[in-house]
Amino acid sequence: MADSEKRDLYEVLGVGRDADDAAIKKAYRTLAKKYHPDLNPGDPTAEAKFKEVNDAYSILSDPQKKAAYDQYGHAAFEQGGAGGAGAGFGGFADFGDLGDLGNIFGSFFGGGFGGGTSTRRNGPRRGDDIGASVRISFEEAAFGVKKDVRFSRVGVCQKCSGTGSADGKTETCSACGGSGQKRVTQRLGGLAFQSTTTCDACRGRGKTIKNPCPACGGSGLIRETKTLSVNIPAGIDDGNRLCLAGEGNGGINGGSAGDLIVEVRVSPHQIFTRNGTTLYCDVPLTVTDAALGADIDVPTLEGNKKYHIPEGTQTGTRFTLRGSGLPNVNTQRKGDLVFTVNIEIPKSLNGRQRELLRQFAEACGDGNYSKKSGFLRKIFGK
């Protein structure tokens, strides 16, 4: 492949050129896990992506090689290319085990890369966590609810109990001697990289099956759709997540299952908004009720509650109903309801109504309007 046709290594990992070591390693870990052959059996596209990600990380994780790539691009690793790659890296042409790569894959898959870990590659491996979501109403979030959650996962085949064998018999893989691994040498330009990768013959299990299970094809795993009834606690907020242990993808080689992470989406309410356990709403108020004071009905999630509005209440005034908010999802202690009164001005007055308002205004004078009087004093000094 010509240098101009090769993908930028930073683009392969999905990071910017200013990415530090931590960002590069994090991106590598995510992509390597996504495209690993064990999780994508028989997928040539994933296998090619996996190799491309490994190649990019092997350069960008090494300060010397990264510096050469930043300066000369792919040409730095071509035989006799710009920058003198043969001279600059002559003493490191054969790196043996990819130490850091080995440690990273050890944390993912139970070891086996590069000899950096003693854990056997074909040992028990925990299944992946998976995600699902459920939508509930605002009221259901306030009081709690039980909801059915439907999701798809890769579970342990019940017909063969996860062994992959129809008769329960397995044999040690002759290609890898039961280790589940094989050592390969990859060349990038003038450099040779040795690494330990999954055995193709047994797919890393260390064992081969002569009589595969017809239900799972010998993989020991089978895709299934499952429905669980999930208890959603009162007070849960939009975007909160619930963890259901052991309901994720099945483990490999006897490993435990992953978890199901359920994200709860709460629909908005027509009247209320929330901030934590505090509810907020607006309540319209007539001019008469605001001026004279009144006992009004305030909406809550548990029905209307009476509240006395004092005489002379101004628009925008806030009042609080203690304990009428939402429960804390952990303690179930309730928050408050804060409501704001907005004074509604009457429209489409008839002649008599206008005349009565004029008489009312004359009877009040300016002394009852402190804000207006203060405003006029600031402008006109009187």
Side-chain angles (χ1 to χ4, degrees):
M1 180 182 292
D3 184 72
S4 60
E5 297 174 353
K6 294 179 180 179
R7 287 183 67 195
D8 179 80
L9 299 186
Y10 293 96
E11 180 184 340
V12 170
L13 295 183
V15 297
R17 288 187 168 269
D18 57 347
D20 58 15
D21 291 342
I24 290 173
K25 179 178 289 188
K26 181 179 179 181
Y28 168 70
R29 289 168 66 99
T30 301
L31 293 172
K33 186 176 182 181
K34 178 179 179 180
Y35 295 118
H36 194 273
D38 277 5
L39 301 180
N40 303 274
D43 186 345
T45 301
E47 185 176 352
K49 290 280 189 181
F50 183 69
K51 181 180 183 302
E52 185 181 38
V53 168
N54 275 331
D55 290 345
Y57 183 73
S58 67
I59 292 177
L60 298 184
S61 63
D62 184 287
Q64 287 182 298
K65 288 184 283 181
K66 181 175 181 294
Y69 177 77
D70 287 344
Q71 186 171 3
Y72 301 108
H74 291 286
F77 306 100
E78 300 293 340
Q79 192 78 348
F89 298 103
F92 302 93
D94 192 340
F95 288 88
D97 293 334
L98 301 181
D100 190 51
L101 274 68
N103 292 332
I104 290 173
F105 275 89
S107 66
F108 279 156
F109 305 110
F113 269 75
T117 176
S118 60
T119 306
R120 288 178 61 84
R121 177 68 180 82
N122 58 345
R125 282 174 280 156
R126 181 181 182 275
D128 287 335
D129 295 341
I130 60 174
S133 65
V134 61
R135 180 165 289 278
I136 62 176
S137 69
F138 200 92
E139 288 82 2
E140 289 172 334
F143 300 113
V145 68
K146 182 176 284 189
K147 283 284 187 179
D148 286 342
V149 177
R150 186 177 174 87
F151 59 97
S152 179
R153 71 173 185 178
V154 177
V156 174
C157 177
Q158 298 301 312
K159 194 161 188 177
C160 66
S161 300
T163 64
S165 173
D167 54 15
K169 297 179 180 180
T170 60
E171 296 181 358
T172 300
C173 177
S174 59
C176 64
S179 68
Q181 307 164 335
K182 67 177 182 178
R183 187 173 292 277
V184 297
T185 300
Q186 296 176 329
R187 294 190 175 276
L188 181 62
L191 303 176
F193 301 89
Q194 285 189 353
S195 63
T196 303
T197 188
T198 305
C199 174
D200 295 331
C202 64
R203 295 182 180 178
R205 290 179 174 271
K207 297 178 181 180
T208 55
I209 301 169
K210 286 189 175 181
N211 188 13
C213 170
C216 65
S219 68
L221 299 172
I222 191 166
R223 182 162 291 280
E224 59 185 3
T225 299
K226 188 173 181 179
T227 300
L228 285 178
S229 184
V230 179
N231 285 313
I232 300 175
I236 199 163
D237 205 349
D238 183 57
N240 285 171
R241 295 178 176 183
L242 303 173
C243 178
L244 279 68
E247 296 295 345
N249 285 343
I252 297 175
N253 294 337
S256 61
D259 299 334
L260 171 65
I261 311 299
V262 180
E263 183 177 28
V264 179
R265 308 303 304 184
V266 180
S267 298
H269 198 274
Q270 290 183 333
I271 296 176
F272 301 107
T273 57
R274 70 179 288 182
N275 182 6
T277 61
T278 304
L279 282 177
Y280 298 90
C281 72
D282 293 333
V283 176
L285 199 64
T286 67
V287 173
T288 306
D289 286 344
L292 301 178
D295 292 325
I296 66 170
D297 287 324
V298 179
T300 76
L301 288 172
E302 297 173 321
N304 292 341
K305 289 187 178 181
K306 289 290 185 180
Y307 193 91
H308 180 71
I309 301 296
E311 178 181 320
T313 293
Q314 303 297 307
T315 190
T317 302
R318 283 187 166 192
F319 299 94
T320 300
L321 279 173
R322 301 293 180 190
S324 292
L326 294 167
N328 181 287
V329 71
N330 296 313
T331 67
Q332 292 301 296
R333 182 177 178 179
K334 283 194 172 183
D336 301 328
L337 168 63
V338 178
F339 67 94
T340 303
V341 294
N342 294 313
I343 298 175
E344 186 176 6
I345 306 301
K347 299 178 180 179
S348 304
L349 299 176
N350 59 34
R352 183 170 180 275
Q353 291 167 338
R354 292 191 185 92
E355 181 58 31
L356 288 173
L357 277 179
R358 290 191 186 98
Q359 294 176 17
F360 174 76
E362 291 175 0
C364 285
D366 291 337
N368 276 314
Y369 299 99
S370 58
K371 290 184 179 179
K372 178 181 177 182
S373 300
F375 179 72
L376 292 175
R377 280 197 300 271
K378 290 178 182 177
I379 296 177
F380 301 110
K382 60 180 181 178

PDB file of all heavy atoms in Angstrom, residues 124-147:
ATOM      1  N   PRO A 124     -11.095 -18.908  32.508  1.00  0.00           N
ATOM      2  CA  PRO A 124     -12.443 -18.321  32.581  1.00  0.00           C
ATOM      3  C   PRO A 124     -12.410 -16.813  32.344  1.00  0.00           C
ATOM      4  O   PRO A 124     -11.537 -16.117  32.853  1.00  0.00           O
ATOM      5  CB  PRO A 124     -12.883 -18.644  34.014  1.00  0.00           C
ATOM      6  CG  PRO A 124     -12.040 -19.802  34.427  1.00  0.00           C
ATOM      7  CD  PRO A 124     -10.722 -19.604  33.748  1.00  0.00           C
ATOM      8  N   ARG A 125     -13.358 -16.339  31.571  1.00  0.00           N
ATOM      9  CA  ARG A 125     -13.426 -14.911  31.283  1.00  0.00           C
ATOM     10  C   ARG A 125     -14.852 -14.411  31.525  1.00  0.00           C
ATOM     11  O   ARG A 125     -15.815 -15.027  31.080  1.00  0.00           O
ATOM     12  CB  ARG A 125     -13.029 -14.623  29.834  1.00  0.00           C
ATOM     13  CG  ARG A 125     -11.536 -14.657  29.590  1.00  0.00           C
ATOM     14  CD  ARG A 125     -11.234 -14.499  28.117  1.00  0.00           C
ATOM     15  NE  ARG A 125     -11.413 -15.751  27.413  1.00  0.00           N
ATOM     16  CZ  ARG A 125     -11.662 -15.843  26.114  1.00  0.00           C
ATOM     17  NH1 ARG A 125     -11.784 -14.749  25.399  1.00  0.00           N
ATOM     18  NH2 ARG A 125     -11.814 -17.012  25.535  1.00  0.00           N
ATOM     19  N   ARG A 126     -14.951 -13.299  32.227  1.00  0.00           N
ATOM     20  CA  ARG A 126     -16.248 -12.713  32.527  1.00  0.00           C
ATOM     21  C   ARG A 126     -16.889 -12.174  31.254  1.00  0.00           C
ATOM     22  O   ARG A 126     -16.226 -11.637  30.368  1.00  0.00           O
ATOM     23  CB  ARG A 126     -16.072 -11.573  33.535  1.00  0.00           C
ATOM     24  CG  ARG A 126     -17.359 -10.881  33.954  1.00  0.00           C
ATOM     25  CD  ARG A 126     -17.046  -9.752  34.930  1.00  0.00           C
ATOM     26  NE  ARG A 126     -18.251  -9.080  35.409  1.00  0.00           N
ATOM     27  CZ  ARG A 126     -18.855  -8.093  34.780  1.00  0.00           C
ATOM     28  NH1 ARG A 126     -18.356  -7.642  33.624  1.00  0.00           N
ATOM     29  NH2 ARG A 126     -19.939  -7.530  35.284  1.00  0.00           N
ATOM     30  N   GLY A 127     -18.204 -12.307  31.156  1.00  0.00           N
ATOM     31  CA  GLY A 127     -18.924 -11.774  30.002  1.00  0.00           C
ATOM     32  C   GLY A 127     -19.010 -10.262  30.035  1.00  0.00           C
ATOM     33  O   GLY A 127     -18.824  -9.628  31.079  1.00  0.00           O
ATOM     34  N   ASP A 128     -19.301  -9.670  28.906  1.00  0.00           N
ATOM     35  CA  ASP A 128     -19.388  -8.211  28.801  1.00  0.00           C
ATOM     36  C   ASP A 128     -20.670  -7.686  29.440  1.00  0.00           C
ATOM     37  O   ASP A 128     -21.709  -8.358  29.452  1.00  0.00           O
ATOM     38  CB  ASP A 128     -19.383  -7.780  27.328  1.00  0.00           C
ATOM     39  CG  ASP A 128     -18.015  -7.941  26.696  1.00  0.00           C
ATOM     40  OD1 ASP A 128     -17.022  -7.919  27.434  1.00  0.00           O
ATOM     41  OD2 ASP A 128     -17.963  -8.102  25.460  1.00  0.00           O
ATOM     42  N   ASP A 129     -20.590  -6.460  29.955  1.00  0.00           N
ATOM     43  CA  ASP A 129     -21.796  -5.744  30.367  1.00  0.00           C
ATOM     44  C   ASP A 129     -22.544  -5.292  29.118  1.00  0.00           C
ATOM     45  O   ASP A 129     -21.930  -4.988  28.088  1.00  0.00           O
ATOM     46  CB  ASP A 129     -21.442  -4.512  31.208  1.00  0.00           C
ATOM     47  CG  ASP A 129     -20.799  -4.876  32.532  1.00  0.00           C
ATOM     48  OD1 ASP A 129     -20.957  -6.032  32.962  1.00  0.00           O
ATOM     49  OD2 ASP A 129     -20.150  -3.999  33.131  1.00  0.00           O
ATOM     50  N   ILE A 130     -23.848  -5.238  29.194  1.00  0.00           N
ATOM     51  CA  ILE A 130     -24.657  -4.763  28.074  1.00  0.00           C
ATOM     52  C   ILE A 130     -25.625  -3.699  28.575  1.00  0.00           C
ATOM     53  O   ILE A 130     -25.827  -3.544  29.782  1.00  0.00           O
ATOM     54  CB  ILE A 130     -25.435  -5.904  27.396  1.00  0.00           C
ATOM     55  CG1 ILE A 130     -26.383  -6.585  28.404  1.00  0.00           C
ATOM     56  CG2 ILE A 130     -24.486  -6.925  26.796  1.00  0.00           C
ATOM     57  CD1 ILE A 130     -27.278  -7.629  27.771  1.00  0.00           C
ATOM     58  N   GLY A 131     -26.202  -2.946  27.654  1.00  0.00           N
ATOM     59  CA  GLY A 131     -27.082  -1.849  28.025  1.00  0.00           C
ATOM     60  C   GLY A 131     -28.489  -2.010  27.464  1.00  0.00           C
ATOM     61  O   GLY A 131     -28.708  -2.680  26.448  1.00  0.00           O
ATOM     62  N   ALA A 132     -29.435  -1.425  28.154  1.00  0.00           N
ATOM     63  CA  ALA A 132     -30.824  -1.359  27.700  1.00  0.00           C
ATOM     64  C   ALA A 132     -31.411  -0.072  28.259  1.00  0.00           C
ATOM     65  O   ALA A 132     -30.801   0.583  29.111  1.00  0.00           O
ATOM     66  CB  ALA A 132     -31.627  -2.573  28.165  1.00  0.00           C
ATOM     67  N   SER A 133     -32.565   0.324  27.772  1.00  0.00           N
ATOM     68  CA  SER A 133     -33.199   1.540  28.277  1.00  0.00           C
ATOM     69  C   SER A 133     -34.694   1.303  28.441  1.00  0.00           C
ATOM     70  O   SER A 133     -35.273   0.429  27.801  1.00  0.00           O
ATOM     71  CB  SER A 133     -32.956   2.729  27.336  1.00  0.00           C
ATOM     72  OG  SER A 133     -33.577   2.515  26.085  1.00  0.00           O
ATOM     73  N   VAL A 134     -35.287   2.089  29.335  1.00  0.00           N
ATOM     74  CA  VAL A 134     -36.723   1.993  29.569  1.00  0.00           C
ATOM     75  C   VAL A 134     -37.255   3.401  29.804  1.00  0.00           C
ATOM     76  O   VAL A 134     -36.599   4.219  30.446  1.00  0.00           O
ATOM     77  CB  VAL A 134     -37.028   1.079  30.782  1.00  0.00           C
ATOM     78  CG1 VAL A 134     -36.405   1.614  32.055  1.00  0.00           C
ATOM     79  CG2 VAL A 134     -38.532   0.900  30.964  1.00  0.00           C
ATOM     80  N   ARG A 135     -38.415   3.708  29.225  1.00  0.00           N
ATOM     81  CA  ARG A 135     -39.024   5.030  29.391  1.00  0.00           C
ATOM     82  C   ARG A 135     -40.208   4.925  30.342  1.00  0.00           C
ATOM     83  O   ARG A 135     -41.030   4.018  30.223  1.00  0.00           O
ATOM     84  CB  ARG A 135     -39.467   5.620  28.056  1.00  0.00           C
ATOM     85  CG  ARG A 135     -40.122   7.005  28.198  1.00  0.00           C
ATOM     86  CD  ARG A 135     -40.210   7.712  26.883  1.00  0.00           C
ATOM     87  NE  ARG A 135     -38.907   8.149  26.404  1.00  0.00           N
ATOM     88  CZ  ARG A 135     -38.288   9.254  26.802  1.00  0.00           C
ATOM     89  NH1 ARG A 135     -38.853  10.040  27.724  1.00  0.00           N
ATOM     90  NH2 ARG A 135     -37.131   9.584  26.305  1.00  0.00           N
ATOM     91  N   ILE A 136     -40.263   5.873  31.289  1.00  0.00           N
ATOM     92  CA  ILE A 136     -41.361   5.912  32.258  1.00  0.00           C
ATOM     93  C   ILE A 136     -41.915   7.326  32.318  1.00  0.00           C
ATOM     94  O   ILE A 136     -41.281   8.290  31.891  1.00  0.00           O
ATOM     95  CB  ILE A 136     -40.899   5.450  33.655  1.00  0.00           C
ATOM     96  CG1 ILE A 136     -39.821   6.391  34.201  1.00  0.00           C
ATOM     97  CG2 ILE A 136     -40.401   4.018  33.623  1.00  0.00           C
ATOM     98  CD1 ILE A 136     -39.390   6.063  35.624  1.00  0.00           C
ATOM     99  N   SER A 137     -43.120   7.443  32.881  1.00  0.00           N
ATOM    100  CA  SER A 137     -43.735   8.760  33.018  1.00  0.00           C
ATOM    101  C   SER A 137     -43.165   9.485  34.230  1.00  0.00           C
ATOM    102  O   SER A 137     -42.503   8.890  35.092  1.00  0.00           O
ATOM    103  CB  SER A 137     -45.255   8.617  33.169  1.00  0.00           C
ATOM    104  OG  SER A 137     -45.568   8.026  34.433  1.00  0.00           O
ATOM    105  N   PHE A 138     -43.431  10.778  34.327  1.00  0.00           N
ATOM    106  CA  PHE A 138     -42.972  11.588  35.451  1.00  0.00           C
ATOM    107  C   PHE A 138     -43.558  11.045  36.761  1.00  0.00           C
ATOM    108  O   PHE A 138     -42.867  10.956  37.779  1.00  0.00           O
ATOM    109  CB  PHE A 138     -43.400  13.044  35.242  1.00  0.00           C
ATOM    110  CG  PHE A 138     -42.625  14.042  36.040  1.00  0.00           C
ATOM    111  CD1 PHE A 138     -41.492  14.646  35.529  1.00  0.00           C
ATOM    112  CD2 PHE A 138     -43.038  14.394  37.318  1.00  0.00           C
ATOM    113  CE1 PHE A 138     -40.779  15.576  36.260  1.00  0.00           C
ATOM    114  CE2 PHE A 138     -42.345  15.323  38.065  1.00  0.00           C
ATOM    115  CZ  PHE A 138     -41.205  15.922  37.541  1.00  0.00           C
ATOM    116  N   GLU A 139     -44.841  10.689  36.727  1.00  0.00           N
ATOM    117  CA  GLU A 139     -45.501  10.151  37.925  1.00  0.00           C
ATOM    118  C   GLU A 139     -44.896   8.814  38.333  1.00  0.00           C
ATOM    119  O   GLU A 139     -44.731   8.532  39.533  1.00  0.00           O
ATOM    120  CB  GLU A 139     -47.003   9.991  37.676  1.00  0.00           C
ATOM    121  CG  GLU A 139     -47.787  11.293  37.617  1.00  0.00           C
ATOM    122  CD  GLU A 139     -47.714  11.976  36.258  1.00  0.00           C
ATOM    123  OE1 GLU A 139     -47.075  11.409  35.340  1.00  0.00           O
ATOM    124  OE2 GLU A 139     -48.288  13.057  36.094  1.00  0.00           O
ATOM    125  N   GLU A 140     -44.569   7.976  37.359  1.00  0.00           N
ATOM    126  CA  GLU A 140     -43.943   6.689  37.680  1.00  0.00           C
ATOM    127  C   GLU A 140     -42.582   6.880  38.322  1.00  0.00           C
ATOM    128  O   GLU A 140     -42.181   6.130  39.223  1.00  0.00           O
ATOM    129  CB  GLU A 140     -43.830   5.837  36.413  1.00  0.00           C
ATOM    130  CG  GLU A 140     -45.171   5.311  35.924  1.00  0.00           C
ATOM    131  CD  GLU A 140     -45.077   4.636  34.576  1.00  0.00           C
ATOM    132  OE1 GLU A 140     -44.155   4.979  33.783  1.00  0.00           O
ATOM    133  OE2 GLU A 140     -45.929   3.768  34.284  1.00  0.00           O
ATOM    134  N   ALA A 141     -41.871   7.915  37.860  1.00  0.00           N
ATOM    135  CA  ALA A 141     -40.579   8.219  38.483  1.00  0.00           C
ATOM    136  C   ALA A 141     -40.769   8.695  39.918  1.00  0.00           C
ATOM    137  O   ALA A 141     -39.940   8.433  40.792  1.00  0.00           O
ATOM    138  CB  ALA A 141     -39.846   9.280  37.665  1.00  0.00           C
ATOM    139  N   ALA A 142     -41.855   9.403  40.173  1.00  0.00           N
ATOM    140  CA  ALA A 142     -42.107   9.941  41.510  1.00  0.00           C
ATOM    141  C   ALA A 142     -42.496   8.863  42.509  1.00  0.00           C
ATOM    142  O   ALA A 142     -42.070   8.895  43.668  1.00  0.00           O
ATOM    143  CB  ALA A 142     -43.202  11.009  41.440  1.00  0.00           C
ATOM    144  N   PHE A 143     -43.291   7.900  42.074  1.00  0.00           N
ATOM    145  CA  PHE A 143     -43.839   6.913  43.009  1.00  0.00           C
ATOM    146  C   PHE A 143     -43.216   5.536  42.886  1.00  0.00           C
ATOM    147  O   PHE A 143     -43.462   4.662  43.715  1.00  0.00           O
ATOM    148  CB  PHE A 143     -45.356   6.808  42.803  1.00  0.00           C
ATOM    149  CG  PHE A 143     -46.081   8.110  43.025  1.00  0.00           C
ATOM    150  CD1 PHE A 143     -46.703   8.766  41.982  1.00  0.00           C
ATOM    151  CD2 PHE A 143     -46.114   8.692  44.279  1.00  0.00           C
ATOM    152  CE1 PHE A 143     -47.362   9.965  42.179  1.00  0.00           C
ATOM    153  CE2 PHE A 143     -46.770   9.893  44.492  1.00  0.00           C
ATOM    154  CZ  PHE A 143     -47.396  10.536  43.444  1.00  0.00           C
ATOM    155  N   GLY A 144     -42.390   5.321  41.861  1.00  0.00           N
ATOM    156  CA  GLY A 144     -41.812   4.000  41.645  1.00  0.00           C
ATOM    157  C   GLY A 144     -42.742   3.144  40.801  1.00  0.00           C
ATOM    158  O   GLY A 144     -43.959   3.326  40.797  1.00  0.00           O
ATOM    159  N   VAL A 145     -42.154   2.187  40.078  1.00  0.00           N
ATOM    160  CA  VAL A 145     -42.958   1.366  39.180  1.00  0.00           C
ATOM    161  C   VAL A 145     -42.180   0.101  38.837  1.00  0.00           C
ATOM    162  O   VAL A 145     -40.950   0.056  38.953  1.00  0.00           O
ATOM    163  CB  VAL A 145     -43.304   2.158  37.889  1.00  0.00           C
ATOM    164  CG1 VAL A 145     -42.062   2.401  37.056  1.00  0.00           C
ATOM    165  CG2 VAL A 145     -44.376   1.453  37.072  1.00  0.00           C
ATOM    166  N   LYS A 146     -42.880  -0.913  38.426  1.00  0.00           N
ATOM    167  CA  LYS A 146     -42.248  -2.134  37.922  1.00  0.00           C
ATOM    168  C   LYS A 146     -42.468  -2.166  36.415  1.00  0.00           C
ATOM    169  O   LYS A 146     -43.595  -2.045  35.934  1.00  0.00           O
ATOM    170  CB  LYS A 146     -42.855  -3.368  38.575  1.00  0.00           C
ATOM    171  CG  LYS A 146     -42.206  -4.681  38.125  1.00  0.00           C
ATOM    172  CD  LYS A 146     -42.783  -5.874  38.869  1.00  0.00           C
ATOM    173  CE  LYS A 146     -42.223  -5.938  40.267  1.00  0.00           C
ATOM    174  NZ  LYS A 146     -42.608  -7.208  40.951  1.00  0.00           N
ATOM    175  N   LYS A 147     -41.374  -2.307  35.656  1.00  0.00           N
ATOM    176  CA  LYS A 147     -41.451  -2.276  34.201  1.00  0.00           C
ATOM    177  C   LYS A 147     -40.756  -3.495  33.604  1.00  0.00           C
ATOM    178  O   LYS A 147     -39.723  -3.955  34.111  1.00  0.00           O
ATOM    179  CB  LYS A 147     -40.763  -1.010  33.663  1.00  0.00           C
ATOM    180  CG  LYS A 147     -41.569   0.262  33.817  1.00  0.00           C
ATOM    181  CD  LYS A 147     -42.682   0.350  32.791  1.00  0.00           C
ATOM    182  CE  LYS A 147     -43.376   1.702  32.835  1.00  0.00           C
ATOM    183  NZ  LYS A 147     -44.429   1.821  31.830  1.00  0.00           N
TER     184      LYS A 147
END
